[in-house]
Structure formats: C-alpha cells, structure tokens
Amino acid sequence: MKIEHLGIAVKSLQKSDELFAKLLGKENYKQESVEREGVTTSFYELGDSKIELLEAANPESPIAKFLDKRGEGIHHVAFGVENIGAEIERLKAAGFQFLSEEPKDGADNKLIIFLHPKSTNGILVELCQEKP
Ligand SMILES: CC[C@H](C(=O)O)C(=O)SCCNC(=O)CCNC(=O)[C@H](O)C(C)(C)COP(=O)(O)OP(=O)(O)OC[C@H]1O[C@@H](n2cnc3c(N)ncnc32)[C@H](O)[C@@H]1OP(=O)(O)O
Ligand SMILES: [Co+2]
C-alpha cells in the first residue's frame, strides 16, 4: 500500500492549475473528466505519489457540496493497492465501512472505492488499483 494521490478540492481548475504549476515547478500530466463522479480532475506527478486537483462538474457533485461546507482544501487521501478486492475484504473484516458495495472506474486508469469518513477518523479514504 502507498499514498497514490492526495485529492484537493478547488473552485477553479484553471486558477489552481496555474498555482500548482508554479508551486511544483511542473505542469499537470493530464486533465480528465469523470462524468459519473461529477468531477474534472487535474493530475501532477510528485515522486511516487500524485496530486489530484478536483473541480465540481455540476452542482450535485460531492466536490460542490464539500466546497460549500468547507471551502477549498484537502478532500481525500488515496491509497494505491495491488488487489482492491482483497483489501476491501481485509478492511471489512477489520470493521471499516465502505461508501459503495463494489469498486468502480475512477480517473487515471484506476479501479476505486471510498471508505466512509466516520470509520476512518474523519478522513475520506480512497483505495485505488491500477486497471490491468
Ligand atoms: C473521479 C474519481 C477520482 C479518483 O481519484 O479516481 C476521485 O477521487 S472522485 C472524488 C469525489 N468523489 C467522492 O468524494 C465520492 C465519495 N464521497 C461521498 O460519497 C460523499 O462526499 C460523502 C459520503 C463522503 C459525504 O457526502 P454527504 O453528501 O453525506 O456530505 P455531508 O457533508 O453530509 O457529509 C457527511 C459526513 O461526512 C463528512 N465528510 C464529507 N466529506 C468529507 C471529506 N472529504 N473528508 C472528511 N469528512 C467528510 C462530513 O463532515 C459529515 O460528517 P459529520 O460528522 O456528519 O459532519
Ligand atoms: Co481520488
């Protein structure tokens, strides 16, 4: 398991891309919309991890709700795993709750699933596995 990415909720990808390119001294390597999640993402390589900027694609987006309640900032941490199915079983057996039954397609060619923040000490945790 490793930190695959840090998800950061932003109001404007255009403004935040300018800021993060300056901050990190490099451009994003992709911008990708994920309709089903209601987000547009922008990814930056950072050593073995990444930064994932997240803009709401519509008012119902989880990012829109997060921004309304908390403003811009760190939204979630994503752990990269080899076998997401095995990790789900392990964590369920350890008493962790998930926000969905099955993994689903995420951004950046990943299978993803989220744990409920109330079972992870108030941190939104995402598991992701590289799609074969
Ligand atoms: C395209 C995929 C991409 C990828 O990496 O591949 C992504 O990362 S997509 C990221 C955006 N998608 C999601 O976040 C999906 C999972 N999130 C959800 O289902 C909701 O956001 C949920 C259930 C976490 C909260 O939604 P809800 O409508 O219930 O909002 P509330 O404000 O009522 O929150 C309930 C409860 O959870 C706490 N909360 C909400 N968001 C977060 C957060 N980001 N981190 C920590 N805690 C969070 C909130 O404070 C409420 O707690 P309470 O104690 O009741 O106040
Ligand atoms: Co993510």
Side-chain angles (χ1 to χ4, degrees):
M1 192 181 266
K2 68 167 207 177
I3 294 181
E4 208 284 329
H5 64 263
L6 198 54
I8 298 173
V10 300
K11 289 183 184 131
S12 154
L13 265 193
Q14 190 262 322
K15 286 203 185 93
S16 295
D17 269 334
E18 279 169 31
L19 186 144
F20 274 83
K22 255 190 267 173
L23 178 66
L24 304 175
K26 61 187 332 184
E27 296 298 319
N28 65 344
Y29 68 90
K30 77 160 61 168
Q31 197 171 83
E32 182 182 350
S33 288
V34 183
E35 211 69 17
R36 179 185 30 74
E37 282 294 325
V39 295
T40 306
T41 62
S42 177
F43 282 91
Y44 294 80
E45 287 271 331
L46 216 56
D48 201 20
S49 295
K50 297 159 189 168
I51 295 274
E52 175 191 60
L53 302 183
L54 296 143
E55 181 188 72
N58 60 59
E60 291 70 49
S61 166
I63 297 302
K65 189 158 187 182
F66 180 89
L67 289 169
D68 286 349
K69 269 184 106 172
R70 299 175 172 215
E72 293 184 303
I74 293 177
H75 179 262
H76 65 274
V77 60
F79 297 141
V81 296
E82 292 297 316
N83 180 332
I84 198 166
E87 287 297 329
I88 291 169
E89 290 318 307
R90 178 179 72 82
L91 291 166
K92 273 187 180 164
F96 290 90
Q97 289 167 15
F98 287 83
L99 289 171
S100 57
E101 273 313 303
E102 298 295 327
K104 45 192 177 176
D105 289 339
D108 205 31
N109 193 47
K110 298 281 187 309
L111 270 180
I112 67 168
I113 194 166
F114 287 89
L115 285 82
H116 200 294
K118 69 175 178 226
S119 68
T120 51
N121 220 139
I123 298 165
L124 183 60
V125 171
E126 174 188 341
L127 300 183
C128 46
Q129 177 193 316
E130 194 77 37
K131 277 197 272 192

